Amino acid sequence: MYTNPLYRPPSEARSLIIQLTEGCSYNKCTFCGMYKDKPFRLRSPEEIRTHIEYLKQYDPRPDKIFIADGNFLCLSTDKILTHLQMVKSNFPSATRISCYAGPLDLIRKTSEDLTAIRNGGLDMLYMGVESGNDEVLKRINKGVTSKEMIEAGKKAVKHGFTFSCMIISGLGGDELSQAHALDSAKVISEIDPQYFALLTLNLEPNTPLYQQVMKGEFTLMSPDDIMIETYKMIEALSLTNCVFRSNHVSNYVNLSGILNKEKAAILKKIKVAMSSRDYTPEYFRRL
Ligand code: SF4
């Protein structure tokens, strides 16, 4: 019933996943192997009907729903609204519907589009910012600048979506680590989302960046250097009331707290972990 591989944010672990689209219509980021072998498409009405009937047997009264795959928001606003209505009428118990949001899709939508989509029942968006540094964004082929990333994020927040941003530690390598830390802190602070997740670079062999590592064109950072970068990034953040999580399987140290309120405690935890080199082992990061 699902076309694999299937991805969802860690915080959607208990949500019902409804796969309305497959793949990512952009699919050009050099570090991302999620949908490299899965061309983007909107599933046919017949496929969606069968999928929904199957899901209803398995989980008829979900509390939360996550719409997969990569970028449901790239569809036309009319199509998004039709599908949201269909999801809501089949699963009226759901109190939250969420999906991934690409920055380009958010930028393309007008204010009227986003208001209609928010009112149509889409509550939460997850956007991969990846880095706030323009050179890193260019090298990973993200397709937007840091300015556009801020524009996309602010648009989502302004239109009432609960908003979650993700940054990837180590994405600039040693060369751009300092700029990646400080510029990412700047972009996340400007957007001021309700949720901020920090993951650590963990490459699949089917990605262009993995090939660059194999050719010696990009060097993965050591756990110590990743933690120095993390410390700098968190220290430079200025957030109103943001749930921070860095407890993904890719992370060397599990961190969480409210930013900025609990910044001092998070920074202290990083220092303690660094002094004892208490890091998640590499084999576990690849599970
Ligand atoms: S990171 Fe997101 S936008 Fe980039 S290729 Fe992967 S799914 Fe698509």
Side-chain angles (χ1 to χ4, degrees):
M1 269 313 137
Y2 290 112
T3 306
N4 289 311
L6 188 70
Y7 295 92
R8 47 112 185 114
S11 54
E12 301 283 348
R14 294 189 180 164
S15 305
L16 176 68
I17 314 290
I18 303 184
Q19 193 174 34
L20 297 181
T21 62
E22 291 177 11
C24 160
S25 67
Y26 182 68
N27 216 8
K28 292 181 199 154
C29 302
T30 64
F31 64 90
C32 172
M34 295 205 298
Y35 308 115
K36 284 283 180 277
D37 305 316
K38 204 193 222 188
F40 178 82
R41 72 181 186 109
L42 169 63
R43 286 179 142 191
S44 71
E46 183 50 37
E47 282 173 294
I48 292 175
R49 252 194 307 279
T50 312
H51 185 51
I52 297 269
E53 287 313 314
Y54 168 80
L55 294 175
K56 272 169 135 175
Q57 290 171 28
Y58 158 77
D59 188 359
R61 279 176 290 284
D63 183 27
K64 292 176 186 168
I65 288 174
F66 181 78
I67 297 177
D69 276 342
N71 58 338
F72 174 60
L73 271 197
C74 76
L75 300 179
S76 71
T77 299
D78 284 350
K79 279 198 176 125
I80 291 172
L81 294 176
T82 305
H83 285 89
L84 283 174
Q85 186 49 43
M86 183 267 302
V87 167
K88 283 198 307 177
S89 61
N90 279 286
F91 299 100
S93 61
T95 57
R96 187 178 90 185
I97 301 177
S98 55
C99 68
Y100 286 126
L104 285 166
D105 298 331
L106 277 167
I107 289 168
R108 277 188 209 114
K109 293 286 181 208
T110 64
S111 182
E112 291 72 31
D113 288 331
L114 291 176
T115 302
I117 292 168
R118 179 67 192 90
N119 292 339
L122 190 59
D123 303 290
M124 179 163 185
L125 300 174
Y126 296 85
M127 185 172 84
V129 173
E130 332 300 3
S131 175
N133 178 260
D134 282 326
E135 182 58 27
V136 177
L137 287 170
K138 195 166 112 196
R139 288 186 190 182
I140 64 168
N141 203 20
K142 190 70 194 172
V144 288
T145 62
S146 59
K147 204 171 152 221
E148 289 167 321
M149 200 64 91
I150 292 169
E151 181 191 339
K154 283 188 141 180
K155 233 171 148 180
V157 173
K158 184 180 159 198
H159 286 83
F161 293 96
T162 302
F163 199 55
S164 177
C165 292
M166 287 157 279
I167 291 280
I168 302 178
S169 293
L171 204 49
D174 285 321
E175 186 196 347
L176 295 172
S177 178
Q178 164 104 351
H180 173 57
L182 300 183
D183 290 344
S184 297
K186 247 187 245 169
V187 168
I188 299 297
S189 301
E190 279 263 342
I191 297 172
D192 203 12
Q194 291 96 332
Y195 294 88
F196 168 42
L198 185 60
L199 281 63
T200 302
L201 188 61
N202 201 353
L203 292 170
E204 296 295 331
N206 66 343
T207 59
L209 192 51
Y210 181 91
Q211 298 308 323
Q212 283 176 254
V213 172
M214 291 293 107
K215 286 186 214 152
E217 294 166 4
F218 182 86
T219 307
L220 294 168
M221 289 169 67
S222 70
D224 284 334
D225 290 337
I226 290 283
M227 293 322 295
I228 291 168
E229 180 182 290
T230 301
Y231 191 96
K232 285 179 189 160
M233 196 183 300
I234 293 181
E235 192 178 37
L237 280 167
S238 175
L239 296 166
T240 308
N241 186 25
C242 178
V243 177
F244 166 67
R245 295 275 180 268
S246 187
N247 51 10
H248 186 251
V249 66
S250 65
N251 294 118
Y252 286 111
V253 177
N254 274 353
L255 301 167
S256 62
I258 304 295
L259 287 169
N260 274 3
K261 204 167 102 195
E262 295 171 336
K263 187 192 276 194
I266 295 167
L267 291 176
K268 189 173 168 198
K269 190 168 178 195
I270 296 173
K271 278 200 168 162
V272 170
M274 286 184 73
S275 64
S276 56
R277 305 204 71 240
D278 184 13
Y279 303 140
T280 301
E282 287 300 334
Y283 67 83
F284 190 75
R285 290 181 68 238
R286 309 223 168 261
L287 292 179

